[in-house]
Amino acid sequence: MQEIIDGITQAFQLIITLNPELLEVTALSLYISLSATVIATLIAIPVGGLIHFHEFTGKRVLITIIQTLYSVPTVIIGLLVFLLISRSGPLGIFGLLFTPTGMILGQTILILPIMTGLVITALSGVDRNIRDTLISLGATEFQSIAQTVREARFAILSAVILGFGRAISEVGVAMMIGGNIRGETRVLTTSIALETGMGNFGLSIALGIVLLAIALIVVLIMNLMTSGALSDSDRVRGGPQA
Amino acid sequence: MIRISGVSRKFGEREVVSGIDLAIRRGEIFSIIGPSGSGKTTLLRLIDLLDRPTRGSIMFEDSSTEGPEHERRAIRRRMAMVFQKPGVLNATVEQNVAFGLEFRGMQKDRVHERVTSALEMVGLSGLSQRRALTLSGGEMQRVAIARAIVTGPEVLLLDEPTANLDPLSTGIIENLIVRVNRERKTTVILATHDMGQGQRLASRIGVMMDGHLVQTGEIYDIFYHPVNRPIATFVGIDPVSDGIVESNENNLAIIAVHGVSVQAVTALGKGQRVALCIRPEEVTLSLPDACPPASSARNCLAGTITRLLPYGPFTRVHVDCGIPVTALVTRRSSEELGLAMGMRVNATIKATAIHVIPDPEDKDNPPHTTTG
């Protein structure tokens, strides 16, 4: 019990005094996971759109595969990427193993299925009537797709946030691809695993609090953005009567 | 303007519209009426080139519409369609109305100008910055109309534009449709299941039943001379079946129906099985002792009132004269005559007001009922 209390006390000291190691690990975590999220978003929206807006044989099967990959274990992605980028692998010449870039690659692959799948779901959520309306207004194929994506923006945003959440909280890829090298590839999750093993509960708890704080901030941002849509109804109540 | 020849459209094995032949004239308001599921929406979608017909062809002016998608889009951009559901996007009213112009690559300041004037026309100028999804149903439908007319279409297609709206909003939108037609010379094609709306707005009407265009004509033709029983029922007449033409002299026929003899104007010859269509507003009721002077071209049938139904400022009076006759009288005259259930009255109908339709399948039809 005393250990836990000491740990929490130490954790707050580390956070309040802005411990350099804590900051460095947090910054690297954010850098890697945000990069992976941005890259995955840039792939998931067009790919999701391509799948949603086209009819082809095997579409249902493809979507089922994507959905299955939502829950792929992080260590399997870790293994896969390890084999790809290790020196003897097909991408070995780039020397990505045990680098942040390698971790970004791994996390991107990890969150791509869930983001693509949720983008498809988001687009399916847009009323069929909207698409007809856009076409009848003279939209080209591209214009109508762009507007439909825009119409689904809030649902797509939550797909992005979910992807980021999965990226920043995973251990498998970070450990296997990054290798948890201090000052190079050590991120929040791998750090917690290591420090706990070494009995540094204070630092572990501090890192855990930071991780939770990031999750909280993400949720707050999401609520703020979606309530931007909701607050319109408040505006209505105070707005001019029609 | 638009010529539709032999157009059919299948969805899977089901033919939703079949063998439609129709010519839309420039500048008219043409109304497609018919019950739900009769294929009105599908026909409008074909005209707007959203779907391709399975068979047949559609000509827009003198252009074929069978070309590749970019050619069809060029033609589609000369039209605009308003759907039953307003289909507004999650954006401001102004942005919603601007879509059509933006798709055409118009410059921002001109877009703003056109959008402003379109919103003025539909009476939503004050709401241009509101989120469109927060508007009422009637307002959303006006946004949809503004969005359609802002591009200055030659043809405006409307699919049940007032189906889910209250009477007040319906009135506003009906006026708007007439104004667009008059002021902008826009050809309007309106699909509706509301007979009254078709009658109020359109110059010509086409009746659709089960995917077929069963009758096309001026309002008068459809309302007074429906070609068959289903149309008669749809335009508000309870046809009386089991009639048989007993004699016909110079188109003035004596028709025996349920033991009653009725005079009507028709070209159908002796022995023909017929059904009689009598519009309720053509029937005059009087007290039994006050039968108007008998005339050769007038029927005066004695009967008993079986039912009185309030109908806005009117009363629908069902009279059993051997055959069921429905009369539409104003509430005031109903009160003056003291009409009541079980009362004896005379129903007077001009021979010219009885529309006779051939009824070869009368044995297959269910027994006649006098529901209003």
Side-chain angles (χ1 to χ4, degrees), chain A residues 69-86:
Chain A
L69 293 179
Y70 286 9
S71 48
V72 66
T74 57
V75 284
I76 289 184
I77 299 295
L79 172 65
L80 179 79
V81 175
F82 189 95
L83 293 173
L84 278 176
I85 66 176
S86 67

Side-chain angles (χ1 to χ4, degrees), chain B residues 3-273:
Chain B
R3 180 165 294 279
I4 300 164
S5 323
V7 161
S8 300
R9 169 76 197 189
K10 269 187 178 175
F11 287 108
E13 281 304 296
R14 218 167 72 83
E15 205 162 59
V16 181
V17 299
S18 24
I20 306 280
D21 290 300
L22 176 65
I24 304 292
R25 302 169 190 163
R26 178 174 283 282
E28 74 173 335
I29 300 186
F30 186 88
S31 177
I32 301 167
I33 60 171
S36 304
S38 57
K40 303 185 295 288
T41 302
T42 307
L43 181 58
L44 282 189
R45 292 178 59 94
L46 288 168
I47 297 174
D48 197 31
L49 310 183
L50 292 173
D51 297 322
R52 285 180 191 259
T54 320
R55 275 188 290 120
S57 70
I58 299 173
M59 296 284 284
F60 188 90
E61 297 278 37
D62 290 323
S63 330
S64 158
T65 60
E66 282 155 39
E69 184 52 32
H70 70 270
E71 279 176 20
R72 283 164 64 87
R73 183 165 59 243
I75 297 172
R76 191 185 300 126
R77 285 184 173 184
R78 296 166 65 185
M79 301 186 264
M81 180 154 169
V82 174
F83 296 82
Q84 182 173 353
K85 282 196 272 173
V88 299
L89 282 86
N90 190 358
T92 65
V93 168
E94 184 172 351
Q95 286 167 333
N96 261 284
V97 177
F99 281 125
L101 300 174
E102 281 166 5
F103 292 152
R104 287 160 176 76
M106 191 182 274
Q107 281 175 330
K108 273 217 153 50
D109 46 338
R110 283 197 57 207
V111 169
H112 181 76
E113 201 178 288
R114 295 273 291 267
V115 168
T116 308
S117 92
L119 284 176
E120 228 159 71
M121 181 151 190
V122 302
L124 292 177
S125 301
L127 301 178
S128 68
Q129 296 312 313
R130 272 266 292 271
R131 288 263 142 202
L133 290 176
T134 64
L135 299 176
S136 73
E139 288 166 342
M140 275 199 220
Q141 199 55 283
R142 275 145 77 192
V143 170
I145 291 175
R147 183 170 62 185
I149 62 174
V150 76
T151 58
E154 294 165 56
V155 179
L156 178 62
L157 306 163
L158 300 136
D159 184 14
E160 302 267 12
T162 62
N164 307 315
L165 302 180
D166 60 89
L168 191 65
S169 302
T170 301
I172 293 173
I173 284 171
E174 287 180 355
N175 285 336
L176 200 55
I177 294 167
V178 172
R179 271 184 64 201
V180 170
N181 174 254
R182 298 242 169 92
E183 292 174 17
R184 306 196 172 198
K185 309 280 173 242
T186 308
T187 307
V188 176
I189 306 176
L190 167 83
T192 179
H193 64 258
D194 178 355
M195 283 304 308
Q197 183 165 69
Q199 192 176 14
R200 284 192 293 279
L201 302 182
S203 43
R204 288 198 307 141
I205 287 180
V207 184
M208 277 195 87
M209 300 251 167
D210 291 329
H212 296 270
L213 196 60
V214 283
Q215 187 173 5
T216 308
E218 312 281 324
I219 291 165
Y220 180 86
D221 293 332
I222 309 278
F223 278 79
Y224 291 92
H225 303 124
V227 293
N228 62 26
R229 285 183 61 100
I231 301 179
T233 311
F234 189 69
V235 298
I237 302 170
D238 292 327
V240 182
S241 50
D242 289 338
I244 192 150
V245 179
E246 294 216 307
S247 70
N248 193 336
E249 273 177 44
N250 300 326
N251 288 348
L252 182 65
I254 307 284
I255 294 163
V257 50
H258 298 282
V260 180
S261 207
V262 173
Q263 295 181 63
V265 176
T266 175
L268 297 170
K270 189 178 172 190
Q272 170 79 46
R273 288 194 154 276

Side-chain angles (χ1 to χ4, degrees), chain A residues 179-202:
Chain A
N180 198 20
I181 304 165
R182 184 174 195 170
E184 301 234 358
T185 60
R186 183 166 296 176
V187 290
L188 286 166
T189 52
T190 54
S191 202
I192 291 173
L194 179 77
E195 300 298 340
T196 306
M198 289 175 17
N200 293 334
F201 300 120

